[in-house]
Amino acid sequence: MKRIESRAALQAALRPAWAAGRSIGFVPTMGYLHAGHLALVDRARQENDVVVVSIFINPLQFGPGEDFERYPRDLERDAALLAGRGVDIVYHPPVADVYPEPPEVGLKAGRMAEGLCGRSRPGHFDGVLTVVAKLFHRVRPTRAYFGEKDAQQLALIRRMVFDLDFDVEVVAVPTVREPDGLAMSSRNVYLSPEERAEAPVLYRALTWAAEAIRSGERRAAVLLEGVRTRIAAAKTARIDYVELVRWPDLRPIAPEAKLVPGETVLVAAAVFFGTARLIDNVRVAVPPA
């Protein structure tokens, strides 16, 4: 496994694969890897000749007061995990390699970034799309792998690929969970023992909504209130948002609306447990009436 820090070295290492038409699977990460990341890596390894994983904590996607400086980092641990998964290249550039100068031009996320996490993290998805576009240019992957837990990010990256004609297939990989249902996240390390014990309420509340939809509940207000009530029962929980949106265009479903049979909806939430802001979602096909 090659560990590479510069764009020039990365592209020199990939040039033979490009010339030979070998397939390249790419997994962009911010490091501090867990089983969710490794599921992406394993899928990339199964489907491609060459696997590249990037580890880069992107300053453009962190707002004022967010956790850029304290975001967990352990490059040596991450490299050991990736070497055991058959990764060919780990690209872990410094900020100066990705942004040699403060960027004057970047990507601007549109309507799809206005709700969900985009409402409480303004500019976040502009930073995500900008760095992913740059990484796509550098790696030139055949396929890129993203987790379904970050549903809004997944939808926006797919739309970016469509709108800007990137020649890459975006592959979604299901969320990997702890035995009690908590979605794997690098930020789970922030949880105190009490918060960790209560955090699975997030997935339980979303699962309740999914089952209610499958059982015939169509009233958005009832679903939203049911999720909020269940989460709020955990004393360490502080709700950022609970929303219903259509998938994959992320158009919001108003509380007074009713779900439409045949459409696919995303029930999504972000909740603070102490300082840890956790997100999760479930995707549900609304059955016929």
Side-chain angles (χ1 to χ4, degrees), residues 227-280:
V227 173
R228 291 191 188 100
T229 299
R230 283 162 173 78
I231 293 172
K235 66 179 182 179
T236 63
R238 177 168 58 88
I239 295 173
D240 182 357
Y241 69 76
V242 175
E243 293 192 42
L244 275 168
V245 299
R246 294 178 176 85
W247 182 264
D249 64 12
L250 305 184
R251 292 193 180 276
I253 299 172
E256 63 273 15
K258 290 189 175 182
L259 306 189
V260 177
E263 70 182 356
T264 299
V265 299
L266 189 80
V267 190
V271 180
F272 286 94
F273 293 88
T275 61
R277 181 181 181 275
L278 306 185
I279 63 171
D280 206 347

Side-chain angles (χ1 to χ4, degrees), residues 67-280:
D67 59 344
F68 175 71
E69 294 297 337
R70 66 188 183 94
Y71 193 87
R73 297 161 166 85
D74 193 337
L75 181 59
E76 294 309 313
R77 168 185 167 277
D78 290 346
L81 288 171
L82 295 173
R85 287 320 229 252
V87 170
D88 297 289
I89 295 173
V90 178
Y91 176 44
H92 49 97
V95 171
D97 181 75
V98 180
Y99 305 112
E101 296 181 2
E104 296 285 346
V105 176
L107 290 179
K108 178 69 174 176
R111 175 200 56 78
M112 292 172 67
E114 291 174 358
L116 303 172
C117 289
R119 181 176 294 111
S120 53
R121 302 186 70 188
H124 168 72
F125 289 111
D126 299 348
V128 169
L129 295 179
T130 297
V131 77
V132 170
K134 287 173 71 70
L135 292 169
F136 281 179
H137 286 311
R138 293 178 180 210
V139 177
R140 302 184 206 172
T142 311
R143 302 174 187 89
Y145 296 81
F146 297 88
E148 292 181 352
K149 179 176 76 72
D150 299 296
Q152 188 173 21
Q153 171 181 277
L154 172 64
L156 279 161
I157 289 170
R158 280 183 165 163
R159 187 64 194 225
M160 177 189 77
V161 165
F162 175 79
D163 285 346
L164 300 184
D165 297 326
F166 279 92
D167 187 17
V168 57
E169 177 188 354
V170 176
V171 180
V173 177
T175 302
V176 177
R177 301 184 180 278
E178 300 282 3
D180 59 8
L182 179 65
M184 295 278 189
S185 170
S186 299
R187 288 185 168 96
N188 289 351
V189 70
Y190 298 156
L191 297 168
S192 71
E194 181 183 15
E195 292 157 0
R196 174 62 186 84
E198 293 195 329
V201 72
L202 173 53
Y203 182 56
R204 290 199 301 269
L206 296 172
T207 300
W208 167 84
E211 290 305 314
I213 293 169
R214 294 186 186 110
S215 298
E217 182 59 69
R218 299 290 179 267
R219 295 167 294 175
V222 171
L223 295 164
L224 292 168
E225 184 58 28
V227 173
R228 291 191 188 100
T229 299
R230 283 162 173 78
I231 293 172
K235 66 179 182 179
T236 63
R238 177 168 58 88
I239 295 173
D240 182 357
Y241 69 76
V242 175
E243 293 192 42
L244 275 168
V245 299
R246 294 178 176 85
W247 182 264
D249 64 12
L250 305 184
R251 292 193 180 276
I253 299 172
E256 63 273 15
K258 290 189 175 182
L259 306 189
V260 177
E263 70 182 356
T264 299
V265 299
L266 189 80
V267 190
V271 180
F272 286 94
F273 293 88
T275 61
R277 181 181 181 275
L278 306 185
I279 63 171
D280 206 347

Side-chain angles (χ1 to χ4, degrees), residues 6-44:
S6 73
R7 175 184 181 181
L10 173 71
Q11 296 187 320
L14 286 172
R15 199 163 286 119
W18 296 336
R22 302 179 74 197
S23 61
I24 298 172
F26 177 45
V27 182
T29 83
M30 293 204 300
Y32 210 73
L33 305 180
H34 52 68
H37 296 111
L38 298 179
L40 306 180
V41 173
D42 290 345
R43 180 80 175 269

